[in-house]
Amino acid sequence: MAVSPPFYYLLMPLHTLLPLAPDALLGLWHLTELPTDLLALVPQREQYAPLQPPGRDENRTLQWLAGRALAHTVLRELTPAPTLLRNDANGCPFFEQLPDFAVSLSHSGEWAAAVVARRGRVGTDVELIRAKAQMLAPRFLSETERADAGADEAKNSLYWSAKETLYKLHSRRGLVFKEQIQLNPFGLREAGVLTGHLLTENFRSQHQIHYQRLAADYVLTYCFEPDAPTHLH
């Protein structure tokens, strides 16, 4: 089993930068800023301002801005090229002027995560560990997965997070989590690798999802496949 390189802890506002490969990085942002502070950290902020989520939900705005600030912070480690982060018809983020680059974003509570790569396909998800994942388990876990997760809130949350990462890796809407995204049973540790499967009508694939407990109350999952095509079909 491949072992991920250690996390490198940096000064705020970027909390963590993890090299996944020479041309791929994972970044973590610990949200402590106000929306106005985050907007100041986003390049081309005049173009981003009208793209902010509508409404007055400050947490939603904060997480949206953190995702863009983090994505650009990680991107600068790979290229100085200016670009705008947008979402395609499936809701997947992409760099408008860098079509070959791959990017995935996630946020939950006080954390935001981003994976950026020069090529291939990426996915990431961060989740707050909570009882809600166990309550929703009948809707997104198979019988085998439910038996493996049991009443463990952390394990149920990790199952959900890993399935979200595979969903983003697939980059298509409409997958049924319970039937089309499946994970092999696993023993929960502080960090490890899960084996997941995407099962569509005409395509089946196997994937390795890395995970880590983040602080005491969160789980983080991510996947980088450098030689994969842009989309799975």
Side-chain angles (χ1 to χ4, degrees), residues 6 9 11 15 46 52 101 109 120 135 145 165 182 196 205 208 211-213 228:
Y9 291 90
L11 295 176
H15 181 274
E46 296 81 5
Q52 290 184 46
F101 276 64
M135 293 170 56
E145 292 166 339
T165 285
Q182 297 188 4
S205 56
Q208 300 300 302
Y211 76 87
Q212 174 161 325
R213 293 285 293 267

Side-chain angles (χ1 to χ4, degrees), residues 32-55:
T32 59
E33 301 86 356
L34 296 172
T36 51
D37 297 328
L38 279 172
L39 184 58
L41 297 173
V42 176
Q44 303 173 339
R45 53 184 175 271
E46 296 81 5
Q47 298 180 56
Y48 275 117
L51 300 178
Q52 290 184 46

Side-chain angles (χ1 to χ4, degrees), residues 95-155:
F95 291 115
E96 191 171 39
Q97 287 77 30
L98 298 169
D100 293 333
F101 276 64
V103 57
S104 182
L105 302 176
S106 181
H107 46 70
S108 180
E110 61 191 37
W111 290 97
V115 175
V116 179
R118 289 183 177 273
R119 58 193 174 93
R121 188 168 53 240
V122 298
T124 189
D125 186 73
V126 58
E127 293 290 338
L128 176 65
I129 297 172
R130 50 185 174 171
K132 184 179 179 180
Q134 184 181 347
M135 293 170 56
L136 295 176
R139 295 171 53 183
F140 73 89
L141 294 185
S142 68
E143 292 301 322
T144 299
E145 292 166 339
R146 286 181 64 189
D148 183 56
D152 190 324
E153 289 185 7
K155 200 164 187 179

Side-chain angles (χ1 to χ4, degrees), residues 75-94:
L75 180 66
R76 280 194 294 269
E77 299 292 322
L78 299 174
T79 177
T83 186
L84 199 67
L85 186 68
R86 292 189 177 273
N87 291 85
D88 65 17
N90 293 307
C92 300
F94 69 96

Side-chain angles (χ1 to χ4, degrees), residues 137-207:
R139 295 171 53 183
F140 73 89
L141 294 185
S142 68
E143 292 301 322
T144 299
E145 292 166 339
R146 286 181 64 189
D148 183 56
D152 190 324
E153 289 185 7
K155 200 164 187 179
N156 276 278
S157 297
L158 182 53
Y159 262 112
W160 173 259
S161 182
K163 290 198 174 195
E164 280 283 351
T165 285
L166 281 183
Y167 185 84
K168 294 175 182 179
L169 194 78
H170 180 69
S171 67
R172 288 286 189 273
R173 290 180 177 175
L175 283 177
V176 180
F177 277 37
K178 185 174 181 176
E179 300 171 3
Q180 295 179 288
I181 307 177
Q182 297 188 4
L183 298 169
N184 291 357
F186 61 92
L188 182 62
R189 301 192 298 271
E190 286 300 304
V193 181
L194 308 177
T195 299
H197 308 269
L198 284 173
L199 311 173
T200 63
E201 292 181 0
N202 56 1
F203 189 86
R204 297 191 173 207
S205 56
Q206 180 173 300
H207 309 270

